[in-house]
């Protein structure tokens, strides 16, 4: 990937959108058309495609190309998580990316099925990826680890268990390392697998993803506190209203900003494993970009 970060982000988003549009095509006359419509509604809705970008960028840092299936698989897991997170039994949000949440556009049962289908489709993509069998197997294993009870799903459970209850910084950190950091770590590792990275580089990729996820979540908490629904694309102030533990609530806004900057610095340090800064320049830029984002 060459050019500015903005250009590179747009290029990856366009590439991912085009791939998913083809992959998620369906026969409108089929009896399960409503399910396919719900799947496409939450998968082709203009997301930033940060996780595919991270996967592509890590492969690029190793001088390799990334199979589109690797990037799309991580994104489908992410899309599934957003559908499920918005459900009344989870985070109970009526809006996502500035439009009705999936269960509001369709219904709760269809939203659950859409999320389930996306999770399954993600691993089908990895099985069919245009790369060596050993890389496909490793990618599937790592994504399963980060998406399941050891990662994203486990983080969601910790979140549910502590909603409306006191939670200290250790609980919140474990929750967000899993709920937010895990899929970014998965994206980084899949890019490193595609590039034939060493064990040390695999470890560093995971460290980058988790640290970036922590910074991302802290900024997200600040946006929920300060932002408007129009700006952030979902209900503002909902975390406090729901009794969720957040970094600003525990540490204050100023300390949360300091912690987010510290995690961003940790993410950059992890990139040292990939050689001179030029090889991972876009990942350095992405780290700064996400720290300064306003939505």
């Amino acid at each position: 990937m060459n050019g500015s970060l903005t250009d590179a982000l747009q290029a990856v988003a366009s590439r991912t959108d085009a791939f998913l549009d083809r992959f998620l095509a369906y026969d409108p006359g089929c009896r399960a058309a409503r399910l396919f419509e719900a799947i496409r509604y939450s998968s082709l809705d203009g997301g930033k495609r940060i996780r595919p970008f991270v996967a592509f960028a890590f492969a690029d840092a190793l001088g390799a190309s990334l199979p589109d299936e690797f990037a799309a698989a991580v994104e489908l897991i992410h899309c599934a998580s957003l559908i499920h997170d918005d459900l009344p039994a989870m985070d109970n949000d009526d809006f996502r990316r500035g439009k009705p949440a999936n269960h509001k556009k369709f219904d709760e049962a269809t939203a659950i099925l859409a999320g389930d289908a996306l999770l399954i489709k993600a691993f089908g993509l990895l099985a069919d990826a245009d790369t060596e069998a050993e890389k496909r197997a490793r990618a599937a294993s790592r994504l399963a680890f980060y998406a399941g009870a050891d990662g994203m799903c486990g983080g969601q459970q910790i979140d549910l268990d502590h909603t409306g209850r006191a939670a200290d910084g250790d609980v919140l950190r474990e929750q967000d390392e899993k709920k937010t950091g895990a899929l970014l770590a998965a994206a980084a590792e899949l890019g490193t697998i595609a590039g034939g990275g060493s064990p040390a580089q695999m470890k560093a990729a995971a460290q980058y993803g988790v640290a970036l996820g922590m910074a991302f979540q802290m900024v997200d908490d600040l946006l929920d506190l300060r932002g408007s629904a129009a700006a952030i694309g979902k209900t503002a102030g909902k975390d406090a209203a729901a009794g969720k533990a957040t970094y600003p609530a525990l540490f204050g806004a100023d300390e949360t900003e300091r912690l987010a900057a510290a995690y961003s610095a940790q993410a950059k340090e992890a990139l040292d494993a990939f050689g001179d800064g030029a090889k991972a320049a876009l990942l350095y830029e992405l780290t700064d970009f996400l720290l300064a984002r306003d939505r």
Side-chain angles (χ1 to χ4, degrees):
M1 292 183 290
N2 297 310
S4 71
L5 176 65
T6 301
D7 290 341
L9 283 167
Q10 183 56 56
V12 168
S14 296
R15 180 172 177 171
T16 303
D17 289 347
F19 181 88
L20 290 178
D21 188 38
R22 295 191 302 271
F23 178 66
L24 298 174
Y26 71 102
D27 175 7
C30 73
R31 290 190 173 89
R34 182 175 175 81
L35 175 59
F36 284 102
E37 185 182 350
I39 287 169
R40 289 176 63 86
Y41 178 80
S42 291
S43 303
L44 299 169
D45 63 347
K48 293 185 285 291
R49 310 304 192 196
I50 296 299
R51 289 150 195 84
F53 181 88
V54 168
F56 276 111
F58 269 92
D60 194 57
L62 290 166
S65 60
L66 182 85
D68 286 307
E69 294 89 349
F70 278 29
V74 181
E75 187 67 3
L76 289 186
I77 298 285
H78 175 58
C79 292
S81 76
L82 299 184
I83 294 173
H84 285 170
D85 278 358
D86 290 338
L87 289 167
M90 295 284 196
D91 287 350
N92 192 24
D93 207 320
D94 292 346
F95 296 95
R96 172 67 62 177
R97 293 171 177 165
K99 65 180 187 178
N102 196 288
H103 68 281
K104 287 295 183 180
K105 175 69 174 179
F106 299 93
D107 55 72
E108 287 185 37
T110 300
I112 292 169
L113 288 174
D116 290 347
L118 286 170
L119 293 170
I120 296 164
K121 281 180 174 292
F123 289 96
L125 268 177
L126 292 180
D128 294 335
D130 184 18
T131 191
E132 299 96 319
E134 185 267 341
K135 289 182 178 180
R136 295 198 302 268
R138 288 179 65 201
S141 175
R142 298 311 294 157
L143 185 56
F145 172 81
Y146 282 118
D150 294 299
M152 181 186 72
C153 290
Q156 180 66 52
Q157 185 65 57
I158 295 171
D159 188 3
L160 290 171
D161 288 347
H162 288 86
T163 297
R165 295 171 50 195
D168 60 24
D170 289 339
V171 170
L172 197 55
R173 181 172 60 253
E174 182 181 356
Q175 168 192 301
D176 292 331
E177 284 180 347
K178 293 179 174 180
K179 186 175 178 182
T180 306
L183 281 192
L184 286 163
E189 284 200 23
L190 263 60
T192 305
I193 289 169
S198 68
Q201 287 170 328
M202 286 287 291
K203 181 178 179 181
Q207 290 171 339
Y208 174 88
V210 171
L212 186 70
M214 291 297 293
F216 187 97
Q217 186 59 54
M218 289 175 181
V219 173
D220 217 42
D221 285 355
L222 289 167
L223 291 175
D224 183 78
L225 178 70
R226 299 167 172 168
S228 67
I232 64 177
K234 55 185 179 179
T235 307
K238 191 173 70 63
D239 289 345
K244 287 184 176 291
T246 67
Y247 295 98
L250 281 177
F251 303 116
D254 289 345
E255 178 65 6
T256 299
E257 289 179 350
R258 190 196 69 77
L259 288 169
Y263 273 111
S264 291
Q266 286 181 27
K268 290 179 180 178
E269 288 173 11
L271 295 174
D272 291 346
F274 292 83
D276 65 80
K279 292 182 178 178
L282 288 175
L283 287 165
Y284 286 99
E285 290 183 48
L286 176 70
T287 308
D288 290 335
F289 171 78
L290 294 181
L291 182 65
R293 70 192 174 93
D294 59 4
R295 64 183 62 198

